[in-house]
Amino acid sequence: MPLALTDLAPRYHSGQPAGIPSVCSAHPLVLRAALQHGRDTGDTVLIEATCNQVNHLGGYTGMTPTDFAQMVHDLAGTEGCPSDLIILGGDHLGPNPWRHLPAEDAMAQAEQMVAAYVAAGFGKIHLDASMGCAGEPEALDDTTTANRAARLARVAEDTAQARSLPPPHYIIGTEVPPPGGADHELTTVSPTDPNAARDTLAVHQQVFVDQGLESAFARVLGLVVQPGVEFGNKNTILYRPEAATGLTQVLGACPQLIFEAHSTDYQGTTPLAQLVRDGFPILKVGPELTFVLREALYALDLIASDLLPDYGVRPLFSAMEALMTRAPENWERHYHGSEAEQRVLRHYSLSDRIRYYWTTLEAQTAVQTLLDALRGQSVPLPLMWQHMPAAASFASAPLDPETLLIWRVRQSLHSYHAACAGAANL
């Protein structure tokens, strides 16, 4: 049953919480998994792109918002997912990709990016101008952040009006840890201070009103706060409802709002359902989905190595290792330790920074070689048990490797959908 974004606050505040997973990935197989779920269940499919991943200059995927939207809708057509189930969102839209520039230059780029997202039909816009630019503090005060967010909202409103598009809904605020996971082993993560959340909301509301953006603020769906969940390279901090009680109480005075939870990867069904129950009905997930996709690809790499004499010994793994060591800029600031420790993290870190490399020609060639080698092959059950025991149902029959990969991603997505649907029963 599809949920609209505007259903979330009424459902939560009426005591019947329900949620929507937000799939934050540009990988076609991950997107196909999400779209297949929508096709099979009729559930809302919320897909989001980030400012670094997709922007008016291309981002690290090389895609503009129009390119990304077209890819999603093309995949939806292929998978038979109705377009009216799909919501596109833009995540952390602000000056972050250009924060090395002076603030005015960075904000000018951010304005162009926001306009491009809205023009491409993205209906959910996360305004995040909390980061300092050249010569500024790393994190900005609420007033500066709110003024910059309002500036971007003005661009979004004007773009929607000029294009005769529905005006977007907004998320404001940002989580405390860095997007995409922390760089070190974590022991604890404190939830956002309730008074800080109240201040952020109050300051944004006042600034929007002062700038004549009351109608835009009326479409603010919620606030990004830190509920006390995070993942590092090697471990995960699970949600503790008792630690977030004060934060949840903030919503009692805001009947039109909910919270948005980032970095919910690797939580599992019960903590996710507790988050939805406690006012976090938008659950952002990204690295977990490409992590399990990589897990399945590497399992198939091992299966092909054992099954096919001419395939070689883990050529996909070797290709990715060569690629990442030759171009370390996407992981070297995040993975520390000895050479051996860094090698493990390159492939198996929970932050999954290997995801930045799947779009390269070298990686795509190695993946295609693997898929072509196994397509139609019958994998003996004992060999499947050895390398991917959960996929035993795929053994002893002609293999469609893409189907297996999508199945593995859907397994992870199932935790999110089960949590979103089952929160009211906790």
Side-chain angles (χ1 to χ4, degrees):
M1 184 71 179
L3 279 173
L5 294 172
T6 50
D7 293 333
L8 298 178
R11 290 287 298 261
Y12 168 71
H13 289 282
S14 69
Q16 293 296 316
I20 301 176
S22 171
V23 175
C24 302
S25 179
H27 198 293
L29 289 173
V30 171
L31 298 180
R32 287 177 63 190
L35 293 163
Q36 283 187 14
H37 179 89
R39 175 198 67 198
D40 295 344
T41 65
D43 287 344
T44 302
V45 182
L46 174 56
I47 294 172
E48 302 208 40
T50 67
C51 60
N52 291 309
Q53 183 185 62
V54 172
N55 58 52
H56 61 295
L57 301 178
Y60 71 75
T61 63
M63 285 188 285
T64 66
T66 297
D67 296 332
F68 185 87
Q70 188 64 55
M71 177 181 70
V72 170
H73 287 293
D74 286 348
L75 291 172
T78 300
E79 299 299 336
C81 178
S83 60
D84 59 0
L85 296 180
I86 300 169
I87 301 172
L88 294 178
D91 199 24
H92 293 287
L93 300 192
N96 188 58
W98 306 281
R99 60 189 303 182
H100 60 285
L101 300 175
E104 189 55 38
D105 294 338
M107 284 297 295
Q109 292 292 339
E111 288 179 321
Q112 293 182 56
M113 175 176 63
V114 167
Y117 268 87
V118 174
F122 286 69
K124 176 180 179 290
I125 301 295
H126 174 206
L127 300 170
D128 182 8
S130 61
M131 66 292 300
C133 299
E136 296 182 325
E138 183 174 350
L140 301 177
D141 61 88
D142 276 339
T143 300
T144 303
T145 299
N147 275 283
R148 292 181 182 178
R151 177 175 167 179
L152 297 176
R154 173 70 69 189
V155 170
E157 297 288 295
D158 291 347
T159 302
Q161 184 176 34
R163 301 278 184 138
S164 298
L165 294 168
H169 291 88
Y170 299 104
I171 298 289
I172 59 174
T174 186
E175 79 272 26
V176 177
D183 294 341
H184 54 282
E185 188 164 353
L186 301 167
T187 55
T188 185
V189 175
S190 299
T192 300
D193 181 89
N195 288 327
R198 292 186 183 96
D199 289 346
T200 296
L201 283 169
V203 171
H204 276 75
Q205 183 172 18
Q206 188 61 56
V207 167
F208 273 57
V209 169
D210 289 346
Q211 297 193 20
L213 289 165
E214 295 96 333
S215 62
F217 194 82
R219 279 180 268 106
V220 171
L221 297 164
L223 175 69
V224 177
V225 292
Q226 172 52 267
V229 305
E230 188 52 86
F231 59 94
N233 286 324
K234 300 178 183 178
N235 72 320
T236 302
I237 303 296
L238 297 180
Y239 179 58
R240 295 186 302 116
E242 67 278 8
T245 300
L247 186 56
T248 297
Q249 291 172 349
V250 172
L251 291 176
C254 306
Q256 78 282 16
L257 298 178
I258 46 85
F259 290 137
E260 179 171 276
H262 289 215
S263 299
T264 67
D265 307 71
Y266 313 107
Q267 288 287 308
T269 303
T270 297
L272 292 171
Q274 291 170 333
L275 281 163
V276 174
R277 176 199 64 191
D278 292 347
F280 298 86
I282 299 175
L283 302 173
K284 308 296 281 285
V285 57
E288 176 184 341
L289 303 179
T290 44
F291 179 94
V292 300
L293 176 64
R294 189 272 318 145
E295 173 193 276
L297 282 166
Y298 276 16
L300 292 179
D301 196 35
L302 285 162
I303 288 169
S305 297
D306 288 345
L307 184 66
L308 306 171
D310 297 332
Y311 178 71
V313 179
R314 301 190 71 185
L316 175 60
F317 178 94
S318 298
M320 298 309 292
E321 173 68 4
L323 176 58
M324 286 186 287
T325 52
R326 189 174 67 249
E329 58 272 10
N330 289 314
W331 61 264
E332 61 185 345
R333 293 187 296 106
H334 305 272
Y335 297 160
H336 311 294
S338 67
E339 284 295 321
E341 289 171 325
Q342 289 182 36
R343 182 173 183 268
V344 169
L345 290 172
R346 279 195 291 274
H347 299 274
Y348 305 111
S349 166
L350 295 179
S351 67
D352 192 56
R353 301 194 71 83
I354 196 173
R355 70 185 186 276
Y356 293 98
Y357 296 87
W358 294 120
T359 58
T360 66
L361 178 60
E362 184 174 345
Q364 290 182 337
T365 300
V367 168
Q368 195 60 53
T369 297
L370 167 63
L371 301 183
D372 289 344
L374 283 178
R375 187 171 289 107
Q377 296 286 340
S378 180
V379 178
L381 180 61
L383 185 56
M384 192 69 83
W385 277 351
Q386 175 65 37
H387 296 303
M388 203 176 181
S393 62
F394 289 88
S396 305
L399 182 66
D400 181 343
E402 288 92 346
T403 298
L404 184 150
L405 295 171
I406 292 169
W407 164 83
R408 180 64 187 94
V409 176
R410 287 190 67 173
Q411 279 193 310
S412 279
L413 281 174
H414 176 74
S415 292
Y416 283 82
H417 290 287
C420 288
N425 298 322
L426 290 181

